[in-house]
Amino acid sequence: MFSFSSVFSEIACILAIATAVGGLALWLRQPLIMAFIIVGILIGPAGLRLVSANEEVELLAELGIALLLFVVGLKLDPHEIQSVGPVAIIAGMGQIVMTGILGYFLANLLGFNLVSAFYIGLSLTFSSTIIVVKLLSDRQEIDALHGRIALGVLIVQDLVVVLAMILLTAFSEDSQQSLIQEIISVILKGGIFLLFIAIVTRYVLPKLLYALAYSTELLLIFAISWAIALAAVGDGLGFSKEVGAFVAGVSLASTNYRATIGARLVSLRDFLLLFFFIDLGIHINVIYLGSEIFSAIILSLFVLLGKPLMIMVLMSISGYRKYTSTITSLSLSQISEFSLIIATLGLDLGHINEEVLGLITLVGLITMGVSTYMIMDSHIIYEKLSPIVSHFHKLIPHFHQKLADLDEAEVYGVDVVLFGLGRYGGSLINALQGSGLQVLGVDFNPELVRQWRNKGLLAFYGDAEDPEFAATLPLNQAKWVISTLPGERIGLTLLQTLKYQKFSGKIALTSHTEREMDILKKAGSDLVLLPFRDAAYEAASMLVRDFNQ
């Protein structure tokens, strides 16, 4: 065993090895998450035993998790959370119940006793907030409809994890409170915590942030302090650090400074998250991984295939189309880091043995690894499975689709189909309607759809990336299809869908970079809108006209 003279040297060694292995993974086109987990196994007790600074690595990992959830909360306005709340609760709770029950019976069939089967079934129900949010953020899909629904399901799961840990602790011999007392205590503490945050957000934060905004560095320091402080408070109250950090982000989401804070925290977040995945690898005990390899494979297949199927069914019943339900379900096809925490708690309480802990750890390693590829290639997987999913989707009863149904009489005479009803899209709608054109608007935010309908616009709920939805649009009437949603992937997907539907009109897409503009033009877009550049040209024209007067 090689030893270092200081913790600083050990951290330097970790970073050097992580860079080398990460570079190799990048060259092999493999996900960095798996590379960093392998680094943890390599340098930890199960490998070369190069590092003993486990506490320091764990601290950095916890800081990374807190900042990750803080940045996620920072991007979510409370109104956006409310818009996906119902489906998140239905899919989250429904999947937890079904996965837990089926996982319990499956573990029982594999020969585990009742208590061990209960822990295994419970561990299979939760998905990894860290991996899902990290990958969706990297792919810039955390704000997409499927990303917001996946995040909503993860929040529901995290809250259930807290309750589950309370229940398990209450059944231990060392528990000083009854189960009812524990639950009442959590409800009261949670209510007081949220009330405090609401008051601070309403009356304190606006003035405080305004004063701090004169120094960007001080604003950033406050944001980090606020995230870590509420993470600590959430942990101290019996919730998790993740819940506290997420609430901290949401409390700043409605302010004018969230974009500045979020942009400056991304690099620091990614650096610290490196230690989370390394820490995960360090704590994997390979001694017990191979003892239950057959059971681990069976349970992993159940998670990778069964859990997405359950979520897909629940979302379809809630009225979501196959594209959104499929992409969302693929994102949640792994078990959680909380599953390992629950298993460790069960070991400490004497409910399970180390073999069961090793089994759950191996299932976590397999599902986290495979699901990483599933998330990264989710759109390709959807295209391959689309015929099967379509057939399966027809067998599922659908409800609550009023926002998505198009009435032929209502949409007669449409000149323009416009995707994206936000500020930019809304301005375009007003200008087009002012010119006498009939516009049909589409957005995946139900609240925006309702607002525009109340203003008299033909507005419908749908996703620009959903090929199935395009078949319901009056494309034979429209002369233009306009997307105000920036991004190469969205634009190329919409182009492909319209080509498949044999749309004969013109197409306008939106980009924020000239590189994307060139790609979209070559792909067949008749017009590419660059909002910032176009606004600058219009502003310059107005100024020139004023000078010439």
Side-chain angles (χ1 to χ4, degrees):
M1 174 181 172
F2 181 79
S3 60
F4 292 94
S5 59
S6 66
V7 173
F8 186 86
S9 300
E10 292 188 10
I11 298 298
C13 176
I14 291 174
L15 293 175
I17 295 175
T19 302
V21 176
L24 179 62
L26 200 63
W27 181 65
L28 295 173
R29 297 185 178 180
Q30 302 303 308
L32 289 177
I33 286 176
M34 291 307 301
F36 295 149
I37 293 175
I38 291 172
V39 170
I41 298 174
L42 179 65
I43 66 177
L48 302 176
R49 300 183 181 182
L50 294 177
V51 175
S52 60
N54 294 336
E55 292 183 1
E56 289 79 5
V57 172
E58 188 172 345
L59 174 61
L60 292 171
E62 290 178 350
L63 291 173
I65 294 171
L67 287 184
L68 173 68
L69 272 296
F70 174 73
V71 171
V72 171
L74 199 63
K75 294 181 178 180
L76 289 181
D77 189 277
H79 298 295
E80 295 178 355
I81 299 175
Q82 185 179 2
S83 68
V84 298
V87 67
I89 293 173
I90 293 171
M93 294 302 299
Q95 175 267 318
I96 287 172
V97 172
M98 289 192 291
T99 305
I101 293 174
L102 294 176
Y104 168 81
F105 284 112
L106 181 57
N108 202 238
L109 288 173
L110 291 172
F112 293 94
N113 61 46
L114 298 181
V115 176
S116 295
F118 168 78
Y119 270 90
I120 292 171
L122 181 63
S123 298
L124 300 183
T125 59
F126 308 112
S127 301
S128 175
T129 302
I130 311 304
I131 287 179
V132 174
V133 171
K134 177 68 170 66
L135 290 174
L136 290 181
S137 298
D138 289 347
R139 293 173 58 82
Q140 298 182 344
E141 294 182 12
I142 196 68
D143 293 324
L145 178 59
H146 63 269
R148 286 161 49 192
I149 294 174
L151 180 60
V153 172
L154 290 168
I155 293 171
V156 171
Q157 291 181 354
D158 286 351
L159 294 176
V160 174
V161 164
V162 174
L163 180 60
M165 293 178 69
I166 292 170
L167 294 175
L168 293 174
T169 305
F171 283 114
S172 69
E173 295 179 357
D174 298 331
S175 178
Q176 301 297 316
Q177 290 182 300
S178 68
L179 178 59
I180 300 299
Q181 288 176 322
E182 291 272 8
I183 294 175
I184 293 175
S185 174
V186 168
I187 293 174
L188 287 175
K189 288 187 291 187
I192 294 172
F193 178 54
L194 292 177
L195 178 61
F196 167 76
I197 296 300
I199 294 173
V200 171
T201 301
R202 177 68 178 84
Y203 297 104
V204 178
L205 287 180
K207 296 180 180 178
L208 180 60
L209 291 172
Y210 178 79
L212 295 174
Y214 287 99
S215 171
T216 307
E217 290 79 6
L218 192 57
L219 182 66
L220 186 63
I221 292 172
F222 167 77
I224 296 173
S225 302
W226 181 244
I228 303 303
L230 289 196
V233 171
D235 188 48
L237 291 176
F239 304 105
S240 64
K241 299 180 183 70
E242 289 80 2
V243 171
F246 178 78
V247 171
V250 172
S251 69
L252 300 181
S254 57
T255 68
N256 297 325
Y257 311 101
R258 69 172 185 170
T260 301
I261 295 172
R264 287 177 172 267
L265 282 179
V266 169
S267 298
L268 178 60
R269 176 204 67 185
D270 290 343
F271 172 72
L272 292 174
L273 274 178
L274 158 71
F275 292 95
F276 166 77
F277 297 111
I278 292 176
D279 184 60
L280 183 62
I282 289 175
H283 286 85
I284 290 177
N285 192 339
V286 295
I287 297 176
Y288 300 104
L289 293 186
S291 60
E292 298 289 349
I293 185 68
F294 175 76
S295 299
I297 293 174
I298 297 299
L299 293 173
S300 296
L301 289 173
F302 171 69
V303 172
L304 292 167
L305 301 177
K307 187 187 286 190
L309 190 61
M310 297 174 204
I311 296 172
M312 191 187 306
V313 170
L314 291 166
M315 288 187 61
S316 298
I317 290 175
S318 300
Y320 287 85
R321 290 185 171 83
K322 65 177 184 178
Y323 173 83
T324 304
S325 58
T326 302
I327 299 297
T328 304
S329 64
L330 289 173
S331 301
L332 301 168
S333 55
Q334 72 285 120
I335 70 171
S336 171
E337 54 280 353
F338 282 118
S339 302
L340 306 182
I341 294 173
I342 287 176
T344 303
L345 177 62
L347 181 66
D348 294 339
L349 296 175
H351 295 167
I352 61 174
N353 56 34
E354 290 184 332
E355 283 75 12
V356 176
L357 174 61
L359 169 65
I360 294 173
T361 302
L362 184 55
V363 172
L365 193 60
I366 293 172
T367 57
M368 287 178 183
V370 176
S371 68
T372 298
Y373 295 95
M374 293 172 67
I375 296 172
M376 292 175 64
D377 298 325
S378 58
H379 299 280
I380 298 174
I381 294 173
Y382 171 78
E383 291 177 4
K384 300 291 185 183
L385 298 180
S386 184
I388 300 174
V389 174
S390 297
H391 179 72
F392 176 74
H393 208 256
K394 293 176 182 177
L395 304 177
I396 304 172
H398 295 71
F399 306 100
H400 311 302
Q401 286 190 312
K402 292 182 179 179
L403 282 173
D405 293 336
L406 299 174
D407 189 329
E408 290 185 6
E410 189 178 10
V411 300
Y412 179 75
V414 169
D415 299 306
V416 178
V417 175
L418 188 144
F419 289 91
L421 303 180
R423 288 177 295 181
Y424 183 51
S427 299
L428 275 177
I429 288 171
N430 291 331
L432 293 171
Q433 287 184 327
S435 300
L437 297 176
Q438 177 80 341
V439 182
L440 186 151
V442 179
D443 202 284
F444 57 61
N445 187 334
E447 188 61 31
L448 274 178
V449 172
R450 291 190 181 93
Q451 289 176 9
W452 279 101
R453 280 194 164 189
N454 291 336
K455 295 178 182 179
L457 178 74
L458 289 174
F460 294 93
Y461 174 82
D463 193 337
E465 295 186 84
D466 184 354
E468 186 186 27
F469 177 72
T472 67
L473 295 171
L475 297 177
N476 59 331
Q477 302 177 35
K479 298 178 178 62
W480 276 90
V481 170
I482 303 172
S483 171
T484 64
L485 306 171
E488 177 185 331
R489 191 193 70 253
I490 295 176
L492 293 176
T493 301
L494 186 58
L495 279 172
Q496 184 178 0
T497 300
L498 294 174
K499 182 179 180 181
Y500 179 79
Q501 295 296 330
K502 298 180 180 179
F503 175 62
S504 59
K506 294 186 176 182
I507 303 169
L509 303 175
T510 299
S511 171
H512 283 167
T513 67
E514 292 191 1
R515 185 190 68 84
E516 283 185 355
M517 180 183 70
D518 293 337
I519 293 173
L520 295 175
K521 279 188 175 181
K522 291 178 181 178
S525 179
D526 297 287
L527 176 65
V528 177
L529 306 171
L530 273 74
F532 299 112
R533 186 200 65 179
D534 297 343
Y537 285 170
E538 179 63 23
S541 298
M542 294 171 61
L543 290 170
V544 170
R545 286 196 300 268
D546 183 71
F547 274 110
N548 293 333
Q549 287 179 357

